[in-house]
Amino acid sequence: MEKLLTPNDVAEILSLSPVTIKKWLWQGKLKGIKVGSVWRIRESDLKAFLKTNNDDEEKLSRDDLEAVKRGLEDIKADKKVTLEDYEQDKRL
């Protein structure tokens, strides 16, 4: 049976904010399975996503790259970001 990862697991693996991972799931950039109200990502889907994005880095939009940058800064500062914080930042 294939391992299923949570958005938090994927965020930790990629050193990104969980909000970024959830955004990619909502947008369909990262393939995931919705189980009830929670997302799960197959390990093979994460590997395919990484391979695709390593082959063509331009698939990430400017907003995505900025989100990655902010996520890395938040991790370095040990700051927890909520979805509400992200949505509020997105409106500015």
Side-chain angles (χ1 to χ4, degrees):
M1 182 177 230
E2 186 170 10
K3 185 175 182 180
L4 295 176
L5 305 167
T6 67
N8 288 346
D9 294 335
V10 174
E12 188 173 324
I13 290 166
L14 300 179
S15 298
L16 297 173
S17 167
V19 172
T20 299
I21 303 306
K22 289 176 186 175
K23 177 183 172 189
W24 290 346
L25 287 163
W26 294 323
Q27 292 174 337
K29 291 181 181 184
L30 174 60
K31 188 174 177 183
I33 304 164
K34 198 135 190 209
V35 180
S37 63
V38 296
W39 285 100
R40 294 295 180 258
I41 300 99
R42 289 184 187 106
E43 201 169 33
S44 61
D45 290 333
L46 176 59
K47 288 178 182 177
F49 172 80
L50 293 174
K51 181 177 180 347
T52 300
N53 285 299
N54 282 337
D55 291 345
D56 184 6
E57 290 182 12
E58 292 181 13
K59 288 190 178 189
L60 292 177
S61 70
R62 179 181 224 73
D63 288 342
D64 289 336
L65 293 173
E66 286 300 316
V68 169
K69 183 179 176 183
R70 284 192 311 271
L72 290 171
E73 290 168 357
D74 290 342
I75 289 169
K76 288 177 185 174
D78 199 28
K79 179 181 174 190
K80 304 295 182 199
V81 179
T82 66
L83 180 57
E84 184 177 283
D85 294 335
Y86 170 76
E87 289 296 330
Q88 191 174 40
D89 184 44
K90 187 176 177 181
R91 287 190 290 265
L92 296 176

